[in-house]
Amino acid sequence: MAVTETRRAGSASPRTANLAAVLRALRTGPLSRTQLAARCGIAKSAVPGLLTDLAERGLVRPAGVLPGNGRPSRLVELHGEDAYALGLGIEADRLSALVTDLSGRVVTELAATVDVAALGLQRGMDELACLARRVLPAPPVGVAISVPGLVDPVAAVLRLAPALRWRDAEIAGLIAARLDLPADAIAVDNDANLGALAESVAGTGTELFYLGGGTAVGGGFVSGGTILRGARGFAGEVGHIAVDPSGERCPCGRTGCLETKANLAAVLRAAAAPGDPLHDPAPGVEGRVAQLKHRVRRGDQRAATAVHELGVALGVALSTVVDVLDPDVVVLGGYFAELAEWLVEPVRVELATRPLGQARVVPSELGLKAPLRGAAYLAAERLFANPTLVEEVTV
């Protein structure tokens, strides 16, 4: 499927806006022409022409008829098997790539264990682009990159990522050049924001706070399907909520921040003595968390205490989040999801002590892959916002 250059921002015609409205409506499932007109606020007489346009671009197809009495209504559905969205993930110890079609079905995915900080920015981008080329069957309709740090989403710049030792990294431009794509085809966002987006799309909740754990701790809040970013795009940075006034000093200069208790390295230090194999970075986050789970299950008291204390610390921080944001659901993501059987209850107990602590607490069903799934969804948004990016198919 050929993808054309995007138009300048703000230049979309009314027809393009209507095409986008129809395509977005079909993202929820097959609909009839009458249903599309009602849902999109478009005259029913205009819908056939819009559907013909989308069909000629290879984006929609017939989907049978709507059962019922009287004249049957023909259904239409997305036909996006040849339109690819690319989600890319950057973590301290791993690079990953995921391709989905327009319906969100995973086409292919690949990951590589690597010390990203040691590679540096330029070599890191080389490796990420190489991974992208290996998974892409054709040029993508959009690309989104998940990163563990402070992101300016408008400029698509990673402002600060301590775990990577990157600052003011113009990731969108670097990847665009390596993949021969326009820079505006590339979006960059914080991994917790994308994890929250993925959970929202999966139906976990409409007012949802996502807390992701890894080499750092981050949060993202989705309200009504929209990521709430704050004035500078840095909302959700909960890692520096104080949870232990007598705790360790944080690199931010304060004492007892959640970051000092809940990043994976801190939990592993609490769970095992120096020199223990649990501290070997070679197995990556997944491997080390699997080892920690095994120790807790077999009755290792030090490991069990470390995980319980983690749950209490998360509960203290999340009680502040719940008081301020009033989410319906709190999702434990990242490596927290892998330890959910021991973390959910301490968090619930802590929230129950607060007058506003009524949010449900659930583990992420997407686990460590939630940010990458969110990135792929965000990448597809470029086409859903402007279906004319795809050229008409000549039969």
Side-chain angles (χ1 to χ4, degrees):
M1 182 173 287
V3 181
T4 62
E5 294 289 323
T6 185
R7 300 179 180 181
R8 293 178 181 271
S11 64
S13 68
R15 181 172 179 80
T16 297
N18 286 340
L19 288 170
V22 170
L23 200 63
R24 286 188 188 281
L26 291 173
R27 208 170 195 177
T28 62
L31 294 170
S32 70
R33 294 178 180 185
T34 301
Q35 290 171 326
L36 282 168
R39 187 166 299 188
C40 301
I42 299 171
K44 186 178 177 181
S45 60
V47 172
L50 296 171
L51 290 175
T52 297
D53 189 328
L54 292 171
E56 289 175 347
R57 297 176 191 279
L59 299 177
V60 303
R61 65 184 174 192
V65 296
L66 185 67
N69 297 324
R71 186 177 179 181
S73 298
R74 295 177 182 177
L75 295 172
V76 181
E77 67 181 359
L78 289 180
H79 179 212
E81 285 87 347
D82 296 324
Y84 302 109
L86 174 64
L88 297 174
I90 303 174
E91 301 165 67
D93 64 345
R94 183 167 68 170
L95 298 172
S96 51
L98 174 77
V99 175
T100 67
D101 64 16
L102 203 58
S103 69
R105 180 182 65 90
V106 175
V107 175
T108 183
E109 58 184 311
L110 194 62
T113 300
V114 61
D115 186 339
V116 177
L119 281 179
L121 177 60
Q122 296 297 333
R123 287 182 59 204
M125 292 298 96
D126 289 341
E127 293 294 324
L128 189 61
C130 180
L131 207 62
R133 285 190 290 269
R134 289 173 63 188
V135 298
L136 275 172
V141 298
V143 180
I145 306 172
S146 166
V147 291
L150 299 177
V151 175
D152 179 342
V154 176
V157 172
L158 174 60
R159 292 301 180 195
L160 178 65
L164 307 177
R165 301 199 292 272
W166 295 355
R167 182 186 292 272
D168 292 329
E170 297 183 355
I171 291 177
L174 295 172
I175 285 295
R178 286 162 170 79
L179 296 182
D180 194 25
L181 294 170
D184 58 13
I186 318 291
V188 182
D189 212 330
N190 171 267
D191 54 0
N193 282 341
L194 293 173
L197 179 62
E199 292 292 338
S200 176
V201 171
T204 307
T206 56
E207 302 292 322
L208 177 153
F209 186 82
Y210 173 94
L211 184 66
T215 53
V217 179
F221 185 43
V222 169
S223 177
T226 301
I227 300 171
L228 300 188
R229 303 180 181 279
R232 287 165 293 279
F234 303 154
E237 290 299 319
V238 298
H240 299 289
I241 292 177
V243 297
D244 183 4
S246 61
E248 297 179 16
R249 189 169 181 80
C250 181
C252 77
R254 288 176 283 187
T255 298
C257 292
L258 177 63
E259 187 78 41
T260 67
K261 294 280 189 180
N263 75 75
L264 182 58
V267 174
L268 295 178
R269 284 196 301 272
D276 189 284
L278 201 59
H279 301 300
D280 180 4
V285 171
E286 290 180 87
R288 297 165 86 186
V289 173
Q291 293 178 41
L292 180 59
K293 289 171 66 175
H294 177 69
R295 294 189 185 197
V296 175
R297 285 185 175 139
R298 77 181 187 195
D300 184 316
Q301 190 57 49
R302 178 166 178 168
T305 299
V307 171
H308 177 77
E309 290 179 351
L310 168 63
V312 173
L314 295 181
V316 171
L318 286 168
S319 64
T320 297
V321 171
V322 170
D323 283 350
V324 173
L325 298 179
D326 190 27
D328 179 51
V329 185
V330 171
V331 181
L332 301 183
Y335 90 86
F336 300 148
E338 302 299 311
L339 300 174
E341 61 188 284
W342 302 288
L343 296 181
V344 169
E345 192 56 29
V347 171
R348 285 175 176 162
V349 168
E350 190 63 37
L351 291 183
T353 66
R354 310 299 175 105
L356 300 181
Q358 302 302 311
R360 290 187 295 119
V361 182
V362 300
S364 168
E365 295 293 331
L366 300 171
L368 294 166
K369 293 184 179 180
L372 194 60
R373 293 299 298 267
Y377 184 89
L378 181 62
E381 277 291 293
R382 180 171 179 257
L383 179 60
F384 279 97
N386 184 0
T388 65
L389 291 173
V390 172
E391 295 176 346
E392 293 183 5
V393 179
T394 301
V395 180

